[in-house]
Amino acid sequence: MRTKNNLALFLVRHVSCNTTLETKVSRKLMLNSKRLTPLYESLASYFLKPSRGRAVFAKTSPVHLISLRTMAKSKFEYVRNFEVDDTCLRNCWIVVRLDGRNFHKFAEQHSFTKPNDDRALNLMTRCAQAVMEELEDIVIAYGQSDEYSFVFQKKSNWFKRRASKFMTHVASQFASSYVFYWKDYFQDQTLLYPPGFDGRVILYPSNQNLRDYLSWRQADCHINNLFNTVFWNLVQKGGLTTSQAEEKLRGTLSGDKNEILFSEFNINYNNEPLIHRKGTALVWKKIDEITTKTIKLTNEEKEKEIVVTRTWKKVTPLHCDLIGEEFWEEHSEILEDNS
């Protein structure tokens, strides 16, 4: 009996690290030693199982005398106090923006087409779709070039609104998807090394702030694409070096760049693909899927075919203007559901 006493106290003292529990167990042992056996058996079944003469944690147990959280306590737990509270302010739009890390070098080493490689743009969109399908609190995403922005609904309480969780989950899901889907878009090009993406979390308190943010990113898409279109036409068709092309475009305005494209290369910039000029917006759309189902009629041997309509939500890419009112009127649920 004394041996069982000592073993029970040893288990409590060295496994739980809980002084209060140790005291309670000691008092129980002192008051009524006859009650030791069930206590010992409970502790042993919870914490221990035999493994080559050593004591190890049991995987399962019907008894829960000591919680796992109590079990985890130790003198080292104080280090958790160094964690910074990064809870996002409530009733704000949460935006996570990802950017490709050193993608100029990545594009060169993987022979991306200039000024735009549709394979790369479509791959980015496929990765963004994977993120939205995994994290359904995202109501809209917008991407251009090597960046994508993901907008979480204002009322989202996903991971208790911790900014680090939002950013790391989005970045890791996006980066792993980029590697996973690479072969679907670059069949003849081997992925030489894994890409990297950095991210940031931004909060916007009002619907207008959010719209202005997306407008800013789309305006950036237009400015960068117009410059790149003129620049690479001067290099590839005009015979200029990259330095000469830069010098020629230095200080030019949008009108000047449009004039160069039209007068020297007979290109009307307004006729360029929308995916290049406007970027890509991803939204949830309701899709009606019509299928035929065969059923057996009651008390009859005959079968009957019926038409079944199933409605489900699908992430849909759009290449349209986000700055004007038309998009927001057509997709008013994005803002209304989060007012």
Side-chain angles (χ1 to χ4, degrees):
M1 185 67 70
R2 180 172 297 177
T3 302
K4 290 184 178 181
N5 277 358
N6 293 337
L7 181 54
L9 287 173
F10 172 83
L11 287 171
V12 175
R13 182 181 296 116
H14 295 281
V15 179
S16 73
C17 301
N18 190 318
T19 305
T20 304
L21 181 60
E22 178 186 343
T23 303
K24 289 181 179 179
V25 172
S26 299
R27 289 174 179 172
K28 279 183 176 293
L29 297 177
M30 291 171 62
L31 291 172
N32 192 349
S33 61
K34 291 182 180 180
R35 297 170 64 183
L36 170 65
T37 300
L39 175 62
Y40 163 70
E41 289 176 350
S42 297
L43 288 168
S45 65
Y46 188 87
F47 290 114
L48 304 175
K49 68 175 183 178
S51 177
R52 297 182 184 177
R54 294 182 297 111
V56 296
F57 286 111
K59 292 183 179 179
T60 59
S61 171
V63 183
H64 293 79
L65 294 178
I66 304 172
S67 70
L68 290 175
R69 185 161 183 80
T70 302
M71 243 173 41
K73 286 187 177 295
S74 72
K75 66 178 182 180
F76 306 111
E77 193 176 2
Y78 78 93
V79 297
R80 294 186 61 186
N81 297 327
F82 288 89
E83 294 182 14
V84 178
D85 181 12
D86 61 348
T87 303
C88 295
L89 189 65
R90 292 194 175 276
N91 296 323
C92 288
W93 296 99
I94 300 175
V95 177
V96 179
R97 185 168 83 243
L98 298 184
D99 290 280
R101 181 180 176 275
N102 201 7
F103 251 54
H104 289 292
K105 178 183 176 182
F106 184 88
E108 288 178 5
Q109 295 191 346
H110 290 88
S111 304
F112 281 15
T113 304
K114 303 292 186 180
N116 291 290
D117 193 314
D118 286 337
R119 299 171 302 173
L121 293 175
N122 291 328
L123 173 57
M124 291 283 291
T125 295
R126 181 65 189 89
C127 298
Q129 286 177 302
V131 172
M132 286 187 68
E133 289 164 359
E134 183 70 21
L135 310 176
E136 294 185 1
D137 275 6
I138 298 173
V139 293
I140 184 175
Y142 175 77
Q144 51 114 348
S145 186
D146 65 339
E147 74 168 55
Y148 244 100
S149 297
F150 299 90
V151 181
F152 288 79
Q153 57 183 319
K154 292 178 75 172
K155 299 176 183 178
S156 175
N157 197 37
W158 186 67
F159 269 103
K160 297 182 179 179
R161 297 179 69 88
R162 291 179 59 190
S164 56
K165 293 291 186 179
F166 280 92
M167 186 171 62
T168 53
H169 273 69
V170 170
S172 61
Q173 184 73 37
F174 193 95
S176 60
S177 297
Y178 199 96
V179 175
F180 184 80
Y181 292 113
W182 173 269
K183 61 182 180 299
D184 295 341
Y185 298 88
F186 291 86
Q187 295 91 346
D188 56 344
Q189 172 66 58
T190 303
L191 184 62
L192 302 178
Y193 59 90
F197 295 89
D198 63 70
R200 70 202 70 190
V201 176
I202 318 107
L203 302 181
Y204 294 105
S206 71
N207 292 350
Q208 188 60 51
N209 292 151
L210 178 65
R211 286 189 54 177
D212 288 345
Y213 169 79
L214 293 171
S215 298
W216 171 49
R217 299 321 303 146
Q218 189 165 68
D220 185 75
C221 172
H222 162 72
I223 294 169
N224 290 336
N225 186 68
L226 177 58
F227 178 89
N228 289 333
T229 301
V230 181
F231 179 87
W232 287 108
N233 272 283
L234 288 172
V235 173
Q236 295 170 348
K237 297 178 181 179
L240 300 184
T241 65
T242 54
S243 298
Q244 290 171 333
E246 277 188 24
E247 185 60 33
K248 183 169 183 174
L249 293 176
R250 193 186 306 278
T252 57
L253 303 177
S254 295
D256 303 322
K257 295 180 179 69
N258 277 287
E259 179 60 30
I260 292 173
L261 281 176
F262 188 76
S263 61
E264 297 189 25
F265 306 106
N266 196 30
I267 294 175
N268 184 338
Y269 181 74
N270 291 328
N271 294 332
E272 290 295 289
L274 284 173
I275 187 176
H276 301 162
R277 294 189 290 118
K278 300 294 185 180
T280 303
L282 294 177
V283 297
W284 291 98
K285 276 199 169 183
K286 290 183 178 180
I287 305 296
D288 291 331
E289 183 180 47
I290 301 175
T291 58
T292 302
K293 184 178 179 181
T294 302
I295 62 172
K296 191 172 183 178
L297 298 176
T298 307
N299 299 326
E300 295 184 21
E301 295 182 357
K302 293 182 179 180
E303 293 182 341
K304 180 182 178 180
E305 289 188 349
I306 61 172
V307 176
V308 178
T309 302
R310 185 172 68 95
T311 302
W312 54 292
K313 291 197 305 180
K314 181 182 179 182
V315 180
T316 306
L318 303 173
H319 311 296
C320 57
D321 180 68
L322 299 181
I323 299 176
E325 296 296 329
E326 184 177 349
F327 172 85
W328 298 102
E329 291 173 358
E330 186 176 345
H331 300 88
S332 58
E333 74 281 353
I334 295 176
L335 301 180
E336 287 177 358
D337 291 348
N338 290 273
S339 59

